[in-house]
């Protein structure tokens, strides 16, 4: 371990087995190593944005076992919003000072590609300065397949219609065997990367998530991160890595053991050390809880996502995020935990430092 610690302190790149062995390191030693990297990059700044999540439909042709959001036997409540409804939500968000709308939908076979893409054009026309983060690689794959369009054509259409950046959803766990067990039929890992690579090649940015704490093993998480690091070496297009802690309610995935807070903190810390080429590690408070996200700031995380306003995907599975978090409270919590809250835009330009 001594050699490995020295290697990390010298900013040398670590490999798969070294990264895996970090899980056996004392939590506070590991935390210090990650914190030093975070501090060297951002000091005590912690980033967030004022954003609004919109989930326009929950009617899905796919069945991901971990998902409690899509309409099914456990959630027999299908909905698909009209463009007018989505525009009304966007209007409210702008009135509440949101700089970004983050739209993620289920894979709805009835809605049609014009419903998916047309709303972006309408939002952009009404609010040219509002950043649109939309369409996970899983949605891009679904729309490409169902409309016989190449990924490249789909990406051109996204750009033409006003999408600014892509969210990191649909990544789940890249290991093919685990992926088959939890979300068979959804975009493959290779295609997830193909889509993000094409997006980056158009000069655009995206994020990447990792759903963990279910049936995967530690080695699968390290493999997931190394695949991300490999693409990032080529394109440099990922802004943030977002570990999503598995939420267990109202779904079909049987899980025996849930990760402890220590395991979650170790995962943030390892990601900060291993992903030496990804600028931001996001502690998404929705899945980690606000309390643990605040502590994660000392274990490598520098970003806490945002105020969100409404959230349907994780709250359906038990997260306490249905109504977002109040801006003043969020800022206070970050300050009280010893960090400097910095409101950012979607591309990490600083908008306001809360002294
Ligand atoms: O891909 C679904 C996850 C994701 C559960 O890019 C679950 O900035 C935990 O990707 N437990 C969608 N997670 C959300 C997402 C995201 C969120 C915040 C920021 C960004 C970003 C992206 O939610 C899905 C899936 O991995 N999810 N069900 C669950 N039971």
């Amino acid at each position: 371990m001594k050699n490995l610690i020295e290697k990390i302190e010298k900013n040398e790149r670590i490999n798969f087995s070294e990264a895996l062995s970090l899980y056996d390191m004392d939590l506070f030693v590991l935390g210090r190593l990650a914190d030093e990297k975070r501090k060297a990059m951002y000091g005590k700044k912690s980033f967030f944005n004022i954003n609004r999540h919109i989930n326009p439909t929950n009617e899905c042709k796919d069945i991901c076992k971990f998902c409690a959001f899509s309409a099914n036997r456990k959630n027999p409540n299908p909905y698909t919003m009209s463009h007018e409804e989505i525009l009304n939500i966007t209007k409210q968000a702008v009135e509440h000072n949101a700089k970004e709308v983050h739209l993620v939908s289920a894979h709805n076979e009835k809605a049609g590609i014009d419903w998916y893409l047309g709303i972006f054009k309408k939002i952009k026309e009404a609010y040219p300065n509002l950043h649109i983060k939309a369409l996970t690689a899983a949605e891009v794959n679904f729309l490409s397949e169902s409309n016989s369009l190449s990924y490249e054509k789909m990406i051109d259409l996204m750009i033409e219609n006003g999408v600014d950046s892509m969210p990191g959803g649909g990544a789940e766990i890249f290991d093919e065997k685990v992926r088959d067990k939890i979300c068979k039929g959804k975009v493959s890992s290779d295609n997830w990367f193909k889509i993000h690579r094409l997006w980056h090649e158009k000069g655009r940015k995206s994020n990447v998530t990792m759903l963990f704490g279910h049936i995967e093993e530690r080695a699968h998480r390290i493999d997931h991160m190394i695949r991300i690091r490999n693409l990032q070496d080529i394109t440099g297009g990922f802004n943030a890595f977002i570990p999503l802690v598995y939420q267990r309610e109202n779904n079909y995935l049987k899980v025996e053991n849930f990760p402890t807070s220590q395991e979650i903190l170790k995962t943030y810390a390892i990601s900060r050390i291993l992903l030496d080429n990804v600028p931001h590690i996001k502690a998404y408070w929705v899945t980690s809880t606000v309390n643990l996200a605040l502590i994660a700031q000392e274990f490598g995380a520098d970003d806490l996502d945002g105020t969100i306003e409404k959230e349907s995907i994780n709250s359906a599975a038990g997260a306490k995020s249905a109504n977002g978090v109040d801006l003043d409270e969020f800022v206070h919590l970050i300050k009280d935990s010893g960090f400097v809250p910095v409101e950012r835009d979607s591309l990490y330009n600083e908008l306001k430092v809360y002294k």
Side-chain angles (χ1 to χ4, degrees), residues 53 66-67 102 133 167-170 172 207 209 211 242 244-247 251 282 284 287 305 313-314 317:
H53 282 211
F66 53 78
C67 182
H102 175 173
K133 180 159 80 178
E172 322 313 357
N207 291 334
T209 55
L211 179 65
I242 313 164
L244 299 171
V245 185
Y246 171 66
Q247 308 293 302
N251 63 22
K282 189 186 281 192
Y284 184 46
T287 67
D305 198 79
I313 298 179
N314 288 287

Side-chain angles (χ1 to χ4, degrees), residues 7 103 122 139 185 227 231 250 273-275 312 317-318 320:
K7 204 170 166 182
L103 291 98
K122 289 181 188 169
E139 288 170 85
R227 293 192 203 201
L231 180 62
N250 306 319
I273 295 164
L274 184 55
L275 293 173
S312 308
K320 305 282 172 280

Side-chain angles (χ1 to χ4, degrees), residues 224-241:
H224 190 95
M225 293 183 217
I226 287 188
R227 293 192 203 201
I228 294 167
R229 192 173 74 176
N230 290 344
L231 180 62
Q232 183 75 340
D233 273 344
I234 300 169
T235 66
F238 290 124
N239 261 339
F241 174 62

